[in-house]
């Protein structure tokens, strides 16, 4: 009995101990569960304000980064070049126009104000070319390189200054073929005086052919006018000009299609040349701004050039009287030099680096685009506006263009260049400039804008 009671007591003791252990374990489990539940509640309660604070910090950081990016782009575009010191000349020209009637100063300040804008426009186009590929990028460079001349031509055409349009476009071709290419050949020849620089003769000959085709389009209306052999006097010349302009636009479109689909593109830098560059040069050629930044700055610069071009065109005739300079000289020499400033610097830089194919793409490619697209485009736009814009550039101007294209074609036929060829082209340009300085345009008086 005692043994049973002892056994039962021990058993009950064990049961009580096990029950106590179970109770302790259950209590610990409940406590742990409660603590986890409380932690979850606490974390859920604290989650909302923590997330909102994090989002606020992220927004602040993103805003600061955006402002830093905008300020960085403004600094790169407007303050990275010494030439940009001329940018205030544009607003100063507007101020002079508002306060005085000194057309000479208005023209001079507008001219100076457009120079850095044209250079920055070419730079922004190059930045965009990094994202579009070499072929499309080269085409963009040629297109926006001539944007300044086309904008000035549109304002002059709207005011009925047809001779200013014709002479400025003619001057752009002469400036690119003689001055820009001459400086490129001369600078490249001096930098590499121990050898003749080589370039792709096939592409150069093709562009020379297109320039001769443009000369043909300008020559026939002039001959028709001066020989008095029009079928319908005063109408046949204009009709022929418009028909020839449409044909030239079709030819230029076919040329672009060929360039964009051909492996040997005139707008594409040679892959071998790019492969031979050092890594440091590749780093220098990295884009400085984003794709959309390039597009935005292209729009801003184009708009700013358009505004200054209006002041420039309005002051041409007054500046001609004030400075005693013929309108023909201003249109053929001064305006194209301003518009081609960026191309001029780029062509010389590439020639010094022994990348003559790119220099030819800038100079001859730009001339081809003006001759085969810019001039016919202005004729068609004048047709739409009701302006009698034609391809009769008068005998003196047409003869000048014909001889200049012939000289350039002979210079390019062997596929080599040196400083002497560049010197000859520069001397030819001096002769052209002197000729227009003493040339009086008989039709300039008829094209004075009428007051409305």
């Amino acid at each position: 009995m005692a043994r049973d009671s002892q056994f039962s007591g021990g058993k009950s003791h064990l049961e009580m101990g096990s029950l106590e252990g179970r109770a302790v374990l259950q209590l610990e489990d409940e406590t742990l569960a409660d603590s986890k539940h409380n932690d979850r509640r606490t974390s859920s309660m604290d989650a909302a304000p923590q997330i909102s604070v994090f989002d606020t910090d992220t927004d602040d950081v993103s805003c600061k980064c955006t402002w830093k990016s905008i300020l960085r782009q403004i600094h790169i575009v407007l303050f990275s070049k010494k030439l940009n010191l001329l940018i205030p000349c544009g607003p100063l020209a507007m101020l002079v126009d508002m306060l005085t009637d000194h057309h000479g100063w208005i023209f001079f300040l507008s001219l100076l104000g457009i120079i850095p804008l044209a250079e920055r426009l070419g730079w922004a186009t190059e930045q965009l070319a990094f994202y579009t590929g070499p072929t499309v990028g080269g085409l963009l460079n040629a297109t926006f390189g001539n944007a300044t001349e086309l904008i000035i031509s549109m304002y002059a055409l709207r005011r009925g200054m047809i001779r200013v349009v014709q002479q400025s476009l003619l001057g752009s071709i002469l400036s690119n073929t003689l001055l820009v290419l001459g400086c490129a050949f001369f600078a490249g020849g001096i930098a590499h005086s121990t050898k003749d620089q080589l370039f792709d003769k096939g592409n150069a000959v093709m562009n020379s052919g297109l320039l001769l085709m443009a000369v043909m389009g300008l020559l026939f209306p002039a001959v028709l006018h001066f020989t008095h052999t029009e079928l319908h006097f005063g109408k046949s010349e204009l009709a022929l000009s418009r028909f020839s302009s449409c044909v030239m636009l079709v030819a230029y479109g076919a040329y672009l299609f060929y360039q964009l689909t051909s492996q040997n593109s005139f707008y594409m830098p040679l892959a071998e040349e790019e492969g031979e560059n050092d890594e440091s040069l590749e780093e220098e050629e990295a884009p400085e701004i984003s794709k959309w930044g390039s597009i935005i700055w292209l729009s801003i610069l184009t708009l700013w050039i358009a505004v200054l071009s209006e002041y420039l065109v309005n002051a041409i005739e007054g500046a001609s009287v004030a400075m005693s300079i013929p309108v023909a000289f201003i249109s053929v020499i001064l305006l194209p030099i301003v518009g081609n400033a960026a191309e001029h610097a780029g062509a010389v830089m590439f020639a010094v680096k022994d990348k003559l194919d790119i220099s030819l793409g800038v100079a001859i490619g730009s001339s081809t685009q003006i001759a085969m697209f810019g001039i016919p485009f202005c004729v068609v736009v004048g047709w739409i506006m009701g302006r009698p814009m034609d391809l009769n550039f008068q005998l003196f101007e047409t003869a000048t263009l014909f001889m200049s294209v012939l000289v350039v074609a002979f210079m390019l036929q062997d596929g080599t260049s040196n400083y002497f060829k560049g010197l000859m082209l520069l001397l030819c340009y001096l002769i052209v400039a002197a000729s227009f300085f003493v040339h009086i345009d008989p039709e300039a008086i008829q094209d004075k804008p009428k007051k409305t």
Side-chain angles (χ1 to χ4, degrees):
M1 292 292 293
R3 188 177 294 176
D4 294 338
S5 62
Q6 186 179 0
F7 178 75
S8 62
K11 185 177 179 180
S12 62
H13 180 73
L14 290 173
E15 289 177 353
M16 290 178 63
S18 62
L19 289 174
E20 291 176 359
R22 290 177 183 176
V24 171
L25 291 174
Q26 186 175 2
L27 182 61
E28 290 177 354
D29 291 339
E30 291 177 354
T31 304
L32 183 62
D34 291 339
S35 64
K36 288 182 178 180
H37 181 67
N38 292 331
D39 290 341
R40 288 175 183 174
R41 290 178 61 187
T42 305
S43 62
S44 63
M45 292 174 63
D46 295 339
Q50 288 178 355
I51 292 175
S52 63
V53 171
F54 182 75
D55 290 341
T56 305
D57 294 339
T58 304
D59 293 339
D60 293 339
V61 172
S62 62
C63 290
K64 290 180 180 179
C65 291
T66 302
W67 277 109
K68 286 182 179 179
S69 176
I70 293 174
L71 293 177
R72 174 180 168 274
Q73 291 190 15
I74 292 175
H75 175 75
I76 292 174
V77 175
L78 299 181
F79 302 102
S80 60
K81 295 289 184 179
K82 294 181 180 179
L83 189 63
N84 293 343
L85 293 174
L86 296 176
I87 290 180
C89 292
L92 190 59
M94 298 179 183
L95 184 63
V96 173
D97 181 69
M98 291 174 58
L99 300 178
T100 66
D101 291 329
H102 295 292
H103 294 286
W105 280 107
I106 297 171
F107 176 81
F108 182 71
L109 291 173
S110 300
L111 206 64
L112 291 179
I114 288 178
I115 291 176
L117 297 179
E119 189 275 332
R120 290 287 86 185
L121 186 68
W123 173 84
T125 308
E126 291 176 359
Q127 297 300 307
L128 183 60
F130 283 107
Y131 304 98
T132 58
T135 303
V136 179
L139 182 60
L140 286 173
N141 278 324
T143 303
F144 279 95
N146 295 319
T148 305
E149 292 94 328
L150 291 177
I151 292 172
I152 293 174
S153 299
M154 290 297 103
Y155 274 105
L157 187 62
R158 191 180 67 176
R159 298 190 70 236
M161 303 170 68
I162 295 176
R163 290 297 291 160
V164 172
V165 177
Q166 292 177 335
Q167 290 173 343
S168 63
L169 293 176
L170 171 71
S172 180
I173 299 174
L174 297 175
S175 175
N176 278 295
T177 54
L178 297 178
L179 180 63
V180 176
L181 189 61
C183 287
F185 279 4
F186 185 78
I190 294 296
H192 304 277
S193 57
T194 58
K195 64 174 184 177
D196 283 348
Q197 292 182 290
L198 303 177
F199 55 85
D200 190 350
K201 183 172 67 175
N203 282 323
V205 170
M206 181 191 303
N207 280 267
S208 299
L210 287 171
L211 287 175
L212 286 172
M213 180 180 176
V215 170
M216 180 188 297
L218 271 62
L219 182 62
F220 289 156
V223 172
L224 192 67
H225 175 79
F226 285 99
T227 56
H228 304 286
T229 55
E230 296 178 79
L231 180 62
H232 302 286
F233 183 77
K235 296 182 179 179
S236 298
E237 174 192 334
L238 186 59
L240 177 61
S241 299
R242 290 169 176 173
F243 176 78
S244 299
S245 297
C246 294
V247 172
M248 292 165 68
L249 289 175
V250 171
Y252 185 72
Y255 166 72
L256 287 185
F257 179 78
Y258 172 77
Q259 290 294 325
L260 294 175
T261 57
S262 174
Q263 295 295 326
N264 190 19
S265 175
F266 195 71
Y267 294 109
M268 182 181 296
L270 297 179
E272 292 81 3
E273 292 183 357
E274 295 296 326
E276 294 176 358
N277 290 337
D278 297 331
E279 293 181 358
S280 60
L281 184 60
E282 292 179 357
E283 291 178 359
E284 290 178 1
E285 294 179 351
E288 299 181 44
I289 57 177
S290 63
K291 178 180 179 180
W292 286 107
S294 304
I295 296 174
I296 292 172
W297 279 110
L298 273 176
S299 304
I300 294 174
L301 292 170
T302 303
L303 181 62
W304 186 230
I305 290 174
V307 172
L308 282 185
S309 297
E310 185 173 5
Y311 286 89
L312 185 70
V313 170
N314 292 336
I316 284 178
E317 293 180 347
S320 174
V321 175
M323 297 186 294
S324 299
I325 298 176
V327 176
F329 183 82
I330 293 176
S331 303
V332 177
I333 304 301
L334 295 183
L335 293 183
I337 287 178
V338 172
N340 295 327
E343 297 172 350
H344 194 164
V348 172
M349 178 187 66
F350 285 121
V352 171
K353 293 180 180 179
D354 202 14
K355 296 181 179 181
L356 210 57
D357 283 291
I358 303 180
S359 297
L360 284 169
V362 171
I364 303 299
S366 180
S367 300
T368 303
Q369 189 173 60
I370 286 292
M372 295 295 294
F373 174 75
I375 294 176
F377 178 74
C378 288
V379 172
V380 174
V381 171
W383 190 2
I384 296 173
M385 290 182 178
R387 303 289 186 183
M389 170 75 184
D390 57 13
L391 295 179
N392 178 17
F393 279 37
Q394 301 301 317
L395 190 60
F396 183 82
E397 287 84 352
T398 305
T400 304
L401 178 62
F402 180 59
M403 292 305 301
S404 300
V405 172
L406 278 183
V407 169
V408 173
F410 278 112
M411 294 290 181
L412 300 178
Q413 65 179 351
D414 62 347
T416 63
S417 74
N418 49 60
Y419 71 90
F420 182 66
K421 286 186 177 181
L423 181 61
M424 283 193 291
L425 291 175
L426 291 175
L427 293 177
C428 288
Y429 188 75
L430 286 179
I431 294 174
V432 170
S435 301
F436 278 98
F437 189 78
V438 298
H439 174 63
I440 298 177
D441 187 9
E443 293 193 5
I445 301 176
Q446 300 177 6
D447 289 326
K448 288 185 178 179
K450 297 179 181 180
K451 295 182 179 180
T452 58

